[in-house]
Every structure is written in C-alpha cells, then in structure tokens.
C-alpha cells in the first residue's frame, strides 16, 4: 500500500535524524530532571495568602457521660481556630507525615493534639485539687501539660513562632473561661463557706474594735426583743417557774424588768464602749463561730452575686470565651479546613505532563525540516506525479509522525515513573487515550506548519515561536493555578490547556473526574482534525 510505504520511508528518515531525538526525548527529559531537583517539594501547591495552621489530632476525647463539652476538647480548639479570619486549617491524619513535612521544610510547624488532650483539659483548674492540671506558665499555656506539642522546623523560626503564638491565643480563649467558670461555681457554695469558716475559726480572740462595731446590731436586737409581748410573757413565765408558788412576787419582778428595759439597753451599749469589757468578751470567741451553717447558707449565694455585680461586665460562671466577656460567639467554619492523609509531592505530576505536552508540539520542527528536505530533494514533486492522492500523501506523512509522538509521550511518562517515582494515578488506563489524542493534535499542527514553511529558517521561526507562545498561554510553562481566571479562560483556545486539564485529573487528583478527561480528549481530537484539514487544504507539493 502506498500509504504504508510512504509512512515507512518517513519513519526511517525521522529515526535517522539526531535532532529529533534531542528535541523530542533528551531535551524534555533533562528539563524535567533539572526543574524537579531545582524546585522544592512545595512546588505546585495552591497559593493562599491566609496563614496555614497544620494540625494532627490524636485526641481520644471524653466519655459520653461528661456533660460539657459535647465534643472532644481538641475539636473545641479547632473550631476556635477556624473562626479566626485569614487562617486556613490543614488537618493531617498521620503524625509521621507531619514530621516528614517539617523535616523537608514544607511546613514550619505542626500542632499535635496528643491522645490525652481532652482528659488533661477537663482537669484544668485554679482550685487546689490532687488531680488538677495548671496549664498556665510564664509564657502562656504550657503545651506539655495539656499533652499538646509543636513539631517545628528550626530553619524557619519566624514562621514557627507565628504559628505558636496563634495557637497560644486560641488556647487562652478556650482554657481561661473553662478554668474561671469552674472556679467561680465554687464561690459561695457549701464547701467554700466551710473553708472560710475554718479559716475564721483560727482567728481568736476577736479584737475589741470588731465587737465595738457590733453595738448597733446588738442594740437593734435588744429593742426588738424587749419590746416584744412574746418576750415579756417568756420573762414572766421564767420568774414564775423560778419563784415556785409565789406568783405575786414573780409578777412584780417581771414588771420591774419590763419597766427598766431602757436602762438595760444603755448598760449594754456602755459595755460595748468599754475596751476592757470587750477584751474579756472576745477572749473566747472566734470569727468562725458567727458563720453557723444557716448563716453560711444565706451568705454564700449572696457573696457570689455580689462578686458578679462587682464585675458586671463579665459572666464568671461561663465556660466559653464569648459568654465570659458577654459578646457574640465566634462562628466556627468548615470551608477553611482541609483534611489530608499525606501531602503529595506535585513536582513530577506537574513537570512531566507540562513538558510532555509542550515538547509534543516541538514535533513541528522535526516535521517541518523533513518537508523542507523533501522539497529540496524534489521528493514531493515526484510524489505528485505518482498515482496517489493528496489525502494518501498527507496520511503517509501523518502516520510516522504520530508513531514518534506516541513514543515520546509514553517514554516521558515512563521516565517520570522510573526516575521520579511518579504515580500514574488511580486510572492509569485513561492515560493511553489522552496521550494518543494529544499526539494527534500535535501531529496535525506540525503538518500544518510544515505545509506552510518553505525553508528551514521559516520552520525554526514559525515552529519555535508558535510552540513557546502556545506553551506560555496554555500553562505548560507555568502552573495554570497561578494564572488569573481570565487568563485561564483564554488558555482554552490552545490544545495544550485541554491536555493539561486531563493530566491534572489523572495524575494529581485522588478522585479524577472522568468526564473532564473524555471531554479533553474530544477537544484534542477536534483540534487535530481541524489542523489536519487545514494542512490538506494548504499543502503545496511543489
């Protein structure tokens, strides 16, 4: 068949040309390797101006019987962090992965919640208890007391310090209200008042000046008591009991006392003004004797309310920061959180396909030079005289170029796997149609340029300029994620951009969108068909 004969002849010419091997295989491979080792592991990660806080949460939480909080304390802290503006959270599921990222310099610091974080948080208290945890230290929250740690990169001390301070502020917002709320609940309760009474019982004797200040209270009690008919009846009954059957004498004594109550009150008043008497009175009295159980029951809640009224701008019974300072609660967000089990190295998944796509279109130079050589040698003129059609000639030229392009695509993909340990993703079988469609589009454009160019200089100028311009517009020279949205839309006028979108799905996404892959393949076939049709129309065999 003339088509196969032409294809075999052109394939031999292509394989004999050392420039083809250098341009299509050696150059892209060397460029991929140089860029791979020159760029850091963080290359290709989505840029975000917000501060990234990486977290490993190993917290076991609390028993279901604990009424507050309703979730593990680590989640409470994470919620507070997620409510902070200009912060995005990265939840890493594996501590080993976090340590690897820090060791590689990809993360300046990672916050690690230990398994006992919730249990330690629940025990935080200002109170003197055997099992209480005091997390407060000179520099703020002592992480180790809460089973919290910060894995840091010593080569990035500034960034690590910023992350540590953000964690400190968040922990203070969570820990301080919890500790204040638990402590204030104890103010005025029965045990608290017992402690106060015990302390006051140690103050003995009562100083005379303290008793002197009780005189007005005593006077009020005496007035109420001596003016009461019930008290006068009690006095009369007591005198009757003491006098036995002499009721007349008992009544007279009672009347005398009732008539002299004013003098009695003045005598008591004068006694409270005498330091010598007061010293005798207070010798065997302790402060705590005044705080009887009934008094403590009344005084305790009043003390708590009094403290609350004194600091009315705060709610010391609260256990959350917003309730403590009486402000609107911080709203936790989930849109700024991402959970990852391992941070992928995106250097190879970006560099290999971008260079494969761009250098696939460098086939323009090889095919152009082949056409120019055949024009010089008169091969195209002889083909015109042969009994074959223009379509057969074009197809005979396309097939060897397509074989070379397919080999180039699979070669670079295999090199990425072998040399750079690049994964082919969860759907490697879809790489085959993607490489084939990309090669078809590249071959179509190559034949189109070759059909127009007349000299090697024109091939070099047209081909190189077109390949570089298309590579820059499409995102083959730089990740499309870094482009503005408008430029991303413009880039879709190139076949490169569609191929890169499909490669991104297959090599960089854990769950590739197959629809995007097949759509890209269809568009690449359309590009290839259009380029081939134009090449057939423009082809000059002279």
């Amino acid at each position: 068949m003339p088509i196969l004969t032409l294809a075999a002849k052109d394939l031999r010419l292509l394989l004999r040309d050392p420039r083809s091997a250098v341009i299509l295989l050696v150059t892209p491979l060397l460029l991929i390797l140089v860029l791979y080792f020159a760029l850091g592991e963080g290359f290709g990660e989505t840029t975000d101006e917000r501060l990234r806080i990486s977290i490993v949460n190993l917290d076991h939480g609390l028993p279901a019987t604990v009424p507050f909080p309703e979730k593990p304390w680590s989640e409470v802290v994470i919620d507070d962090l997620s409510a902070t503006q200009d912060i995005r959270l990265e939840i890493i599921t594996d501590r080993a992965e976090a340590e690897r990222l820090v060791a590689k310099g990809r993360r300046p610091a990672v916050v690690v919640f230990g398994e006992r974080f919730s249990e330690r948080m629940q025990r935080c208290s200002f109170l003197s208890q055997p099992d209480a945890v005091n997390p407060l230290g000179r520099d703020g929250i002592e992480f180790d007391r809460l089973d919290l740690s910060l894995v840091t990169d010593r080569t990035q001390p500034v960034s690590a310090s910023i992350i540590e301070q953000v964690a400190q502020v968040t922990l203070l917002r969570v820990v301080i209200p919890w500790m204040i709320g638990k402590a204030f609940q104890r103010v005025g309760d029965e045990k608290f008042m017992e402690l106060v009474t015990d302390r006051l019982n140690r103050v003995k004797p009562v100083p005379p000046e303290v008793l002197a200040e009780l005189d007005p209270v005593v006077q009020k009690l005496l007035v109420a008591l001596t003016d009461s008919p019930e008290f006068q009846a009690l006095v009369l009954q007591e005198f009757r009991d003491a006098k036995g059957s002499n009721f007349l004498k008992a009544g007279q004594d009672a009347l005398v006392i009732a008539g002299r109550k004013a003098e009695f009150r003045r005598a008591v008043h004068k006694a409270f003004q005498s330091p010598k008497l007061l010293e005798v009175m207070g010798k065997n009295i302790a402060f705590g004797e005044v705080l009887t159980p009934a008094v403590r029951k009344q005084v305790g809640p009043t003390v708590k309310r009094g403290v609350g009224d004194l600091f009315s701008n705060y709610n010391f019974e609260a256990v959350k920061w917003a309730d403590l300072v009486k402000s609107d609660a911080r709203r936790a967000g989930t849109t700024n959180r991402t959970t990852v089990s391992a941070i992928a190295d995106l250097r190879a998944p970006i560099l290999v396909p971008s260079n494969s796509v761009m250098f696939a279109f460098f086939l323009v130079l090889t095919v152009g030079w082949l056409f120019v050589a055949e024009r010089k040698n008169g091969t195209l003129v002889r083909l015109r005289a042969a009994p074959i059609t223009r379509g057969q000639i074009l197809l005979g030229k396309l097939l060897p170029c397509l074989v070379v392009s397919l080999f180039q695509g699979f070669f670079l993909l295999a090199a990425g796997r072998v040399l750079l340990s690049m994964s082919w993703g969860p759907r490697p079988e879809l790489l085959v149609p993607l490489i084939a469609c990309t090669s078809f589009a590249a071959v179509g454009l190559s034949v189109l340029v070759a059909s127009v160019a007349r000299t090697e200089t024109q091939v070099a100028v047209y081909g190189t300029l077109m390949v570089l311009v298309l590579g820059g517009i499409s995102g083959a020279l730089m990740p499309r994620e870094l482009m503005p949205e408008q430029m991303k839309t413009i880039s879709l006028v190139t076949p490169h951009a569609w191929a890169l979108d499909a490669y991104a799905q297959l090599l960089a996404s854990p769950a590739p969108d197959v629809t995007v892959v097949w759509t890209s393949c269809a568009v690449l076939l359309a590009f290839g068909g259009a380029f081939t049709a134009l090449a057939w129309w423009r082809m000059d065999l002279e």
Side-chain angles (χ1 to χ4, degrees):
M1 294 180 63
I3 295 177
L4 295 180
T5 303
L6 284 175
K9 184 264 298 182
D10 283 353
L11 182 59
R12 287 194 298 271
L13 292 176
L14 288 172
L15 295 179
R16 290 174 184 173
D17 187 359
R19 294 178 299 181
S20 299
V22 172
I23 293 175
L24 301 180
L25 300 180
V26 178
T27 302
L29 181 58
L30 288 177
L31 185 59
I32 290 171
L33 292 175
V34 169
L35 291 176
Y36 180 87
F37 291 108
L39 298 171
E41 279 193 46
F43 174 76
E45 292 185 3
T46 303
T47 57
D48 197 324
E49 295 182 354
R50 295 176 297 174
L51 176 65
R52 176 175 55 198
I53 305 293
S54 300
I55 293 173
V56 176
N57 188 4
L58 307 176
D59 184 16
H60 285 172
L62 295 167
T65 55
V66 176
F68 181 87
E70 300 82 7
K71 59 180 69 174
W73 274 109
S74 55
E75 292 295 334
V76 176
V77 176
I78 291 173
D79 284 346
D80 187 274
L81 272 173
S82 67
T84 305
Q85 291 185 349
D86 299 326
I87 281 182
R88 61 186 178 102
L89 301 182
E90 177 186 69
I91 311 299
I92 303 173
T93 58
D94 186 6
R95 181 179 180 125
E97 175 65 12
E99 292 176 346
R100 185 189 71 84
L101 292 172
V102 171
K104 292 284 189 179
R106 297 182 63 183
R107 299 294 184 273
V110 177
V111 180
V112 180
F113 292 96
E115 297 176 354
R116 301 181 61 191
F117 180 79
S118 285
E119 182 258 326
R120 295 279 183 87
M121 270 292 303
Q122 198 71 12
R123 288 162 45 199
C124 286
S125 177
F126 288 119
L127 303 176
S128 299
Q129 297 174 338
D131 63 340
V133 173
N134 176 22
L136 304 180
R138 183 192 65 180
D139 300 322
I141 301 295
E142 298 289 345
F143 287 180
D144 57 331
R145 298 180 186 177
L146 295 177
D147 195 16
L148 183 72
S149 59
L150 192 69
V151 182
T152 59
D153 180 6
R154 295 183 179 181
T155 64
Q156 304 182 67
V158 175
S159 298
S161 296
I162 292 173
I163 293 173
E164 181 179 6
Q165 291 305 311
V166 170
Q168 281 281 357
V169 172
T170 293
L171 284 170
L172 286 171
R173 279 197 298 262
V174 174
V175 173
I176 294 298
W178 171 241
M179 295 176 65
I180 291 177
K182 288 205 303 182
F184 194 72
Q185 289 174 2
R186 296 294 304 277
V187 174
D189 70 0
E190 184 177 352
K191 190 171 182 180
F192 175 83
M193 295 306 296
E194 288 178 0
L195 291 172
V196 172
T197 302
D198 181 65
R199 291 288 182 183
L200 292 176
N201 279 332
R202 302 176 190 179
V203 182
K204 188 177 180 180
V206 177
E209 58 271 17
V210 175
L211 291 176
E213 293 178 358
L214 294 177
D215 180 40
V217 177
V218 173
Q219 289 297 318
K220 289 181 181 180
L221 291 174
L222 288 176
V223 171
L225 189 63
T226 56
D227 289 346
S228 171
E230 289 82 2
F231 178 72
Q232 295 173 6
L234 288 174
V235 171
L236 178 60
Q237 183 63 44
E238 286 296 322
F239 273 93
R240 285 177 178 175
D241 292 343
K243 297 296 184 178
S245 60
N246 194 348
F247 293 104
L248 179 60
K249 179 63 175 174
Q252 291 174 348
D253 292 342
L255 290 174
V256 170
I257 292 175
R260 306 301 296 270
K261 59 185 179 182
E263 290 82 355
F264 175 72
R265 292 198 293 264
R266 285 196 296 272
V268 172
H269 172 67
K270 290 180 179 180
F272 272 91
Q273 302 304 313
S274 171
K276 185 179 292 186
L277 284 175
L278 291 175
E279 186 175 350
V280 173
M281 291 167 57
K283 184 177 296 185
N284 296 316
I285 301 176
F287 271 104
E289 294 182 55
V290 180
L291 293 177
T292 63
V295 173
R296 294 199 296 265
K297 189 174 182 180
Q298 294 297 322
V299 172
T302 305
V303 170
K304 179 182 287 189
R305 288 193 295 271
V307 174
D309 293 339
L310 182 63
F311 302 99
S312 58
N313 290 332
Y314 302 92
N315 177 16
F316 288 121
E317 292 187 271
V319 291
K320 297 180 180 180
W321 183 263
D323 297 333
L324 172 65
V325 298
K326 294 185 177 181
S327 66
D328 295 335
R330 295 163 56 84
R331 296 183 178 180
T334 56
T335 56
N336 61 342
R337 302 187 197 183
T338 55
T339 301
V340 292
S341 57
I343 309 299
D345 185 351
L346 298 178
R347 288 177 296 177
I350 290 177
L351 295 175
V352 172
S354 62
N355 283 280
S356 297
V357 170
M358 186 173 70
F359 278 90
F361 287 85
F362 266 101
L363 191 65
V364 167
L365 301 179
T366 300
V367 175
W369 289 329
L370 180 63
F371 267 66
V372 169
E374 290 196 335
R375 282 195 177 95
K376 287 183 177 180
N377 297 328
T379 306
L380 292 179
V381 175
R382 290 194 294 272
L383 286 176
R384 184 181 179 186
I388 53 177
T389 64
R390 290 167 59 88
Q392 290 175 321
I393 295 174
L394 181 62
L395 190 57
K397 298 291 184 183
L398 280 175
L399 288 179
C401 297
L402 185 61
V403 171
V404 171
S405 182
L406 287 173
F407 178 78
Q408 177 200 41
F410 287 113
F411 170 79
L412 294 177
L413 203 63
R417 178 66 173 268
V418 174
L419 300 178
L420 305 178
S421 301
M422 182 187 72
S423 171
W424 287 346
R427 298 294 302 273
E429 71 279 2
L430 294 180
L431 291 170
V432 175
L434 177 57
I435 293 175
C437 294
T438 304
S439 296
F440 180 62
V443 169
L445 182 61
S446 301
V447 175
L448 174 60
V449 173
S451 66
V452 175
R454 289 290 185 273
T455 65
E456 290 188 353
T457 301
Q458 290 180 349
V459 171
V461 173
Y462 297 162
T464 303
L465 183 63
M466 180 178 295
V467 169
L468 293 179
V469 170
L470 292 178
I473 295 175
S474 65
L477 293 177
M478 62 180 296
R480 294 186 69 220
E481 290 75 13
L482 302 179
M483 292 181 172
E485 290 300 322
Q486 185 177 6
M487 194 61 193
K488 289 181 183 179
T489 303
I490 295 175
S491 68
L492 295 177
V493 301
T494 68
H496 306 55
W498 293 92
L500 291 174
D501 281 346
Y503 272 118
Q505 289 293 327
L506 295 177
L507 299 181
S509 175
D513 188 342
V514 178
T515 303
V516 173
V517 177
W518 288 118
T519 301
S520 298
C521 289
V523 173
L524 288 169
L525 289 176
F527 271 113
F531 292 148
T532 303
L534 287 174
W536 179 83
W537 176 61
R538 291 285 302 169
M539 180 176 290
D540 186 1
L541 300 179
E542 295 294 336

